[in-house]
Amino acid sequence: MAVVASGVFMATLDASIVNVSLPTLANELNASFDSVQWVSLAYLLIITGLLLPAGRLAQMHGAKPVFLTGFMIFTLGSLLAGFATSVWMLVAFRVIQGIGGAITQALGPGMVVSTFPKNERGKAIGMILAAVSLGLVSGPLVGGIFLSTLGWPFIFLINVPFGLAAIGLGFWVLPPSIHTSPGKFDWLGTTMLLAGIFMILLGFNRIQIFGLGSPLVITLIVAGFALLFCFAWWQTRTASPMIQPSMFRNPDFTVAAFSGYLTFAGTSAHVLLLPFYLQRVLQLPIGQVGLIMVTVPAIMGVLGTPAGILADRTSHRAISSIGILISAIGLALLATVTFNTPPLALVMRLVVLGIGFAMFNSGNASMLMGAAAATHQNQASAVLALARNMATSTGQALWGTIWASVLVLQLGEQAPDLAGGREMVDAFRIVFASASLLLIAGVLVSLLAPVLSRQRLDAL
């Protein structure tokens, strides 16, 4: 648990510490809003595209050597990112970080679940989520301190000592893998998955530059989804799939993955845009911004394990559904922010979102992992991480585009970076309200599992 939690902590720390730093990076690297977004999106893109391949590599070679290799790659990428001199050089080094982060994120939950008994699965997932929350809490807080004192390179260099310590501990304590499945690696599937995700993200990102009706934008998005469809089809035909299609025949697994995607996509809106609201509208100092941004992950850290235990004793599906609904209420409350909302009132809104997110995370992850066979735990773990990261990457691209488009198209601003505080508030409220509606859809999907299970039993 300690080694796996360290890997999860590192990956989430790096994601959260960069999100709160985007306005500073835009200023100090002389980068526009659409280009500095790729510091975050490139990392999420690579992680998302390589999660399933990482799960397959673990099946072929064992989780321990693959996990430790990923940790080494991540630590190297962190060191290089600290010495970047331009925004696109930083994006390139974030790609290296993403390769390592994909491996640690994909394998962590499966390694832990395979160690704990079934009646403690929710608790085990809750402990992993506590590590996730610690990383998310530490990111904004440490990021705010470093940005105001040592400078932005240290938001990456802080990963190096943690990484080296965890790698050494991992060589010593991680057990060898029990379930392995030798075979060929699916290079064609990996290429289609990465290319499809990249085209979709690039298409969403370019909307704010060329408009939704641009032939380039439409071509990128359509081609991206076509490649993802081809990837899904290929997984049913290849002899060595990265993801076992049979897992999706279980309604609990399918519903948990899809509702998880919708929920993470919706909640990604506040991760991307709230730092801009706090700094450019409320004009708060960076240190205070970091403290406010830790509210949601702090609540998750406190409630993650209790929510997992509650899910073990009641119903994973019920806890997940209730969590999504509370999260939707939290986002709806964020849609009521004004030009002068007091920071304390904003924190109370985030507390509601954090309570819901903690319940959803524990229930949803337990439901998904419990629906997979023991021989497929690594792949199920990769699917869990894929749903989360695919949602975060596409969600951030979508919400960033909607926010910018509202300012450009409806408010008459020439560029999002030139908008005043009052104009930005209107755009923020539209985005948060839209995200809340997306989570309502997630609630409806989560409630489909019992219906699908009954239909499956009737068919049998």
Side-chain angles (χ1 to χ4, degrees):
M1 174 64 77
V3 174
V4 171
S6 297
V8 174
F9 168 78
M10 294 285 291
T12 52
L13 170 72
D14 205 70
S16 62
I17 204 171
V18 168
N19 281 328
V20 77
S21 308
L22 290 180
T24 300
L25 291 173
N27 292 332
E28 298 202 10
L29 295 176
N30 296 318
S32 62
F33 173 75
D34 66 291
S35 62
V36 80
Q37 268 189 296
W38 282 98
V39 176
S40 177
L41 291 178
Y43 180 74
L44 293 172
L45 164 67
I46 295 300
I47 284 183
T48 305
L50 294 183
L51 286 168
L52 294 182
R56 176 58 187 152
L57 285 174
Q59 277 197 317
M60 294 169 59
H61 304 292
K64 178 176 180 177
V66 177
F67 183 85
L68 291 177
T69 300
F71 232 137
M72 294 177 190
I73 295 172
F74 180 86
T75 303
L76 174 62
S78 300
L79 179 64
L80 294 173
F83 293 98
T85 57
S86 70
V87 65
W88 295 115
M89 184 182 295
L90 180 57
V91 168
F93 293 146
R94 290 280 284 168
V95 169
I96 297 176
Q97 280 187 302
I99 295 172
I103 295 172
T104 57
Q105 284 195 34
L107 305 186
M111 295 171 69
V112 169
V113 168
S114 63
T115 306
F116 280 72
K118 291 183 178 180
N119 63 342
E120 295 184 355
R121 188 177 64 239
K123 182 176 72 173
I125 293 293
M127 294 172 71
I128 287 293
L129 293 177
V132 171
S133 300
L134 181 60
L136 294 175
V137 168
S138 303
L141 184 60
V142 174
I145 294 173
F146 282 175
L147 290 174
S148 60
T149 56
L150 299 176
W152 69 263
F154 284 87
I155 67 176
F156 302 106
L157 296 177
I158 186 61
N159 296 327
V160 177
F162 283 104
L164 294 176
I167 291 168
L169 182 62
F171 273 111
W172 180 39
V173 304
L174 285 181
S177 301
I178 299 176
H179 302 290
T180 58
S181 177
K184 294 182 179 179
F185 183 75
D186 187 8
W187 290 104
L188 178 59
T190 300
T191 302
M192 288 191 291
L193 182 61
L194 269 173
I197 294 172
F198 174 74
M199 288 184 177
I200 292 171
L201 286 181
L202 184 60
F204 279 129
N205 182 261
R206 294 295 93 182
I207 290 176
Q208 56 189 282
I209 304 298
F210 300 111
L212 184 59
S214 166
L216 175 62
V217 169
I218 295 174
T219 299
L220 286 170
I221 294 176
V222 171
F225 279 108
L227 281 171
L228 293 185
F229 176 81
C230 291
F231 166 78
W233 172 84
W234 175 247
Q235 294 305 292
T236 66
R237 298 295 187 271
T238 181
S240 301
M242 286 183 284
I243 177 173
Q244 293 292 336
S246 61
M247 291 192 297
F248 288 94
R249 295 171 189 161
N250 187 317
D252 281 352
F253 186 92
T254 302
V255 166
F258 190 38
S259 63
Y261 174 86
L262 293 175
T263 303
F264 279 105
T267 54
S268 68
H270 91 280
V271 177
L272 174 69
L273 294 177
L274 201 56
F276 287 90
Y277 171 77
L278 295 172
Q279 292 186 54
R280 297 189 177 182
V281 177
L282 299 186
Q283 298 183 356
L284 299 178
I286 188 65
Q288 191 172 354
V289 170
L291 288 173
I292 292 176
M293 289 298 294
V294 306
T295 303
V296 172
I299 295 296
M300 289 172 57
V302 173
L303 298 182
T305 301
I309 295 174
L310 180 62
D312 286 335
R313 296 179 178 178
T314 55
S315 166
H316 298 114
R317 182 186 302 114
I319 296 301
S320 175
S321 300
I322 294 172
I324 301 175
L325 181 60
I326 296 175
S327 298
I329 295 173
L331 285 172
L333 292 174
L334 283 177
T336 64
V337 296
T338 65
F339 182 75
N340 56 359
T341 297
L344 180 59
L346 187 64
V347 168
M348 297 307 297
R349 291 167 166 84
L350 294 176
V351 167
V352 175
L353 180 60
I355 293 172
F357 212 41
M359 296 179 64
F360 157 75
N361 263 323
S362 295
N364 180 263
S366 298
M367 180 177 168
L368 186 145
M369 296 299 296
T375 54
H376 296 155
Q377 285 296 319
N378 284 328
Q379 289 185 327
S381 178
V383 170
L384 177 64
L386 175 65
R388 178 177 65 248
N389 285 277
M390 184 72 175
T392 303
S393 55
T394 55
Q396 287 195 6
L398 175 64
W399 302 130
T401 296
I402 292 176
W403 179 73
S405 298
V406 169
L407 292 175
V408 173
L409 300 178
Q410 295 188 14
L411 302 181
E413 297 292 340
Q414 295 180 355
D417 297 323
L418 301 178
R422 296 185 182 276
E423 290 81 6
M424 283 188 177
V425 168
D426 292 332
F428 287 130
R429 296 177 68 172
I430 290 173
V431 169
F432 291 138
S434 301
S436 177
L437 293 177
L438 189 63
L439 262 67
I440 296 297
V443 176
L444 298 178
V445 170
S446 181
L447 296 176
L448 280 177
V451 177
L452 295 176
S453 296
R454 285 195 295 269
Q455 291 179 347
R456 186 186 182 194
L457 291 174
D458 293 341
L460 294 175

